Coordinates of all heavy atoms in Angstrom, one line a residue:
K199 N 128.0 99.1 124.5 CA 127.8 97.8 125.2 C 127.4 96.7 124.2 O 127.9 95.6 124.3 CB 126.6 98.0 126.2 CG 126.8 98.8 127.4 CD 127.6 97.8 128.5 CE 127.7 98.6 129.8 NZ 128.3 97.7 130.9
E200 N 126.9 97.2 123.0 CA 126.4 96.2 122.0 C 127.7 95.7 121.3 O 127.5 94.8 120.4 CB 125.6 97.0 120.9 CG 124.1 97.2 121.5 CD 123.2 98.0 120.5 OE1 123.8 98.8 119.6 OE2 122.0 97.8 120.5
L201 N 128.9 96.2 121.4 CA 130.1 95.5 121.0 C 130.2 94.1 121.3 O 131.0 93.3 120.7 CB 131.4 96.4 121.3 CG 131.5 97.7 120.8 CD1 132.7 98.5 121.5 CD2 131.7 97.8 119.3
G202 N 129.5 93.8 122.3 CA 129.6 92.3 122.9 C 128.4 91.5 122.7 O 128.1 90.5 123.4
R203 N 127.6 91.8 121.6 CA 126.4 91.1 121.3 C 126.6 89.6 121.0 O 125.9 88.7 121.4 CB 125.6 91.7 120.1 CG 124.6 92.9 120.5 CD 123.6 93.1 119.6 NE 122.7 94.2 120.0 CZ 121.6 94.0 120.6 NH1 121.3 92.7 120.9 NH2 120.7 94.9 120.9
E204 N 127.8 89.3 120.4 CA 128.1 88.0 120.0 C 129.1 87.4 120.9 O 129.3 86.1 120.8 CB 128.7 88.0 118.6 CG 127.8 88.7 117.5 CD 126.5 88.1 117.5 OE1 126.4 86.8 117.6 OE2 125.6 88.8 117.2
D205 N 129.6 88.0 122.0 CA 130.6 87.6 122.9 C 130.5 88.4 124.2 O 131.0 89.5 124.2 CB 131.9 87.5 122.3 CG 133.1 87.1 123.1 OD1 132.8 86.9 124.3 OD2 134.2 87.1 122.7
F206 N 130.0 87.9 125.2 CA 129.8 88.7 126.6 C 131.2 89.2 127.0 O 131.1 90.3 127.6 CB 129.2 87.8 127.6 CG 130.2 86.7 128.1 CD1 131.0 87.0 129.2 CD2 130.3 85.5 127.6 CE1 131.8 86.1 129.8 CE2 131.2 84.6 128.1 CZ 132.0 84.8 129.2
S207 N 132.3 88.6 126.7 CA 133.6 89.0 127.2 C 134.0 90.3 126.6 O 134.9 91.0 127.0 CB 134.6 88.0 127.0 OG 135.0 87.9 125.7
Q208 N 133.3 90.7 125.4 CA 133.6 92.0 124.7 C 132.7 93.1 125.2 O 132.8 94.2 124.6 CB 133.5 91.7 123.2 CG 134.5 90.7 122.6 CD 135.9 91.1 122.9 OE1 136.4 92.2 122.8 NE2 136.6 90.1 123.6
I209 N 131.8 92.9 126.0 CA 131.0 94.0 126.6 C 131.8 94.8 127.5 O 132.3 94.5 128.5 CB 129.7 93.4 127.3 CG1 128.8 92.5 126.4 CG2 128.9 94.6 127.9 CD1 127.8 91.7 127.2
P210 N 132.0 96.1 127.2 CA 132.6 97.0 128.1 C 132.1 96.9 129.5 O 130.8 97.1 129.8 CB 132.6 98.3 127.5 CG 132.3 98.1 126.1 CD 131.3 96.8 126.1
N211 N 133.0 96.7 130.5 CA 132.5 96.6 131.9 C 132.3 97.9 132.5 O 133.3 98.7 132.6 CB 133.6 95.7 132.6 CG 133.4 94.3 132.4 OD1 133.7 93.5 133.5 ND2 133.2 93.8 131.3
G212 N 131.2 98.2 133.1 CA 131.0 99.2 133.9 C 129.6 99.9 133.7 O 128.9 99.6 132.7
I213 N 129.2 100.6 134.8 CA 127.8 101.3 134.8 C 127.9 102.7 135.2 O 129.0 103.1 136.0 CB 126.9 100.6 135.6 CG1 127.3 100.6 137.1 CG2 126.6 99.2 135.1 CD1 126.2 100.0 138.0
P214 N 127.0 103.6 134.8 CA 126.9 105.0 135.3 C 126.3 104.9 136.7 O 125.6 104.0 137.1 CB 126.0 105.7 134.3 CG 125.2 104.7 133.7 CD 125.9 103.3 133.8
G215 N 126.7 106.1 137.6 CA 126.1 106.1 138.9 C 126.5 107.3 139.7 O 125.9 107.4 140.7
V216 N 127.4 108.2 139.2 CA 127.9 109.3 140.0 C 126.8 110.2 140.5 O 127.0 110.9 141.5 CB 129.1 110.0 139.3 CG1 128.6 110.9 138.1 CG2 129.9 110.7 140.2
E217 N 125.8 110.3 139.6 CA 124.9 111.3 139.9 C 123.8 111.0 141.1 O 123.4 111.8 141.9 CB 124.1 111.6 138.6 CG 122.9 112.7 138.8 CD 122.3 113.1 137.5 OE1 122.8 112.7 136.4 OE2 121.4 113.9 137.4
H218 N 123.5 109.6 141.0 CA 122.3 109.3 141.9 C 122.7 108.6 143.3 O 122.0 108.3 144.1 CB 121.5 108.3 141.1 CG 120.9 108.9 139.9 ND1 121.1 108.4 138.7 CD2 120.2 110.0 139.7 CE1 120.6 109.1 137.7 NE2 120.0 110.1 138.3
R219 N 124.1 108.5 143.5 CA 124.6 107.8 144.7 C 124.0 108.2 145.9 O 123.4 107.6 146.8 CB 126.0 107.7 144.7 CG 126.8 107.1 146.0 CD 128.2 107.4 146.0 NE 128.6 108.8 146.0 CZ 129.4 109.4 146.7 NH1 130.2 108.7 147.6 NH2 129.7 110.7 146.8
P220 N 124.0 109.6 146.2 CA 123.7 110.1 147.5 C 122.1 109.8 147.8 O 121.7 109.5 148.8 CB 123.9 111.6 147.5 CG 125.1 111.7 146.5 CD 124.7 110.7 145.5
V221 N 121.3 110.1 146.8 CA 119.8 110.1 146.9 C 119.5 108.6 147.0 O 118.5 108.2 147.8 CB 119.0 110.9 145.9 CG1 119.1 110.2 144.5 CG2 117.6 111.0 146.3
L222 N 120.0 107.6 146.2 CA 119.7 106.2 146.4 C 120.1 105.7 147.7 O 119.4 105.0 148.3 CB 120.5 105.5 145.3 CG 120.0 105.7 143.9 CD1 121.0 105.0 142.9 CD2 118.6 105.3 143.7
L223 N 121.2 106.2 148.3 CA 121.6 105.7 149.7 C 120.8 106.3 150.7 O 120.5 105.6 151.7 CB 123.1 105.8 149.8 CG 124.0 105.0 149.0 CD1 125.5 105.4 149.0 CD2 123.8 103.5 149.2
Y224 N 120.4 107.6 150.5 CA 119.5 108.1 151.5 C 118.2 107.4 151.6 O 117.6 107.0 152.6 CB 119.2 109.7 151.2 CG 118.4 110.3 152.3 CD1 119.0 110.7 153.5 CD2 117.1 110.3 152.3 CE1 118.2 111.3 154.5 CE2 116.2 110.8 153.2 CZ 116.9 111.3 154.4 OH 116.1 111.9 155.3
T225 N 117.6 107.1 150.4 CA 116.4 106.4 150.3 C 116.4 105.0 150.8 O 115.7 104.6 151.7 CB 116.0 106.3 148.8 OG1 115.9 107.5 148.2 CG2 114.6 105.5 148.6
A226 N 117.4 104.1 150.4 CA 117.5 102.7 150.8 C 118.1 102.6 152.3 O 117.9 101.6 152.9 CB 118.5 102.0 149.8
G227 N 118.9 103.6 152.7 CA 119.6 103.5 154.0 C 118.9 104.3 155.1 O 118.3 103.8 156.0
V228 N 118.8 105.7 155.0 CA 118.2 106.6 156.0 C 116.8 106.5 156.0 O 116.1 106.2 157.0 CB 118.7 108.0 155.8 CG1 118.1 108.9 156.9 CG2 120.2 108.1 155.7

């Protein structure tokens, strides 16, 4: 991500999330 420190358009786009999706949605939803 730090590849874009001088230029936001060079920050690789994306985040992690595959592990926590079910428990986060159970928490916030159910």
Side-chain angles (χ1 to χ4, degrees):
K199 288 278 190 180
E200 288 179 327
L201 292 170
R203 273 197 177 273
E204 306 303 322
D205 177 355
F206 74 92
S207 68
Q208 299 304 307
I209 300 170
N211 277 220
I213 61 172
V216 72
E217 182 169 353
H218 301 120
R219 177 187 60 138
V221 72
L222 288 171
L223 291 171
Y224 185 88
T225 301
V228 181

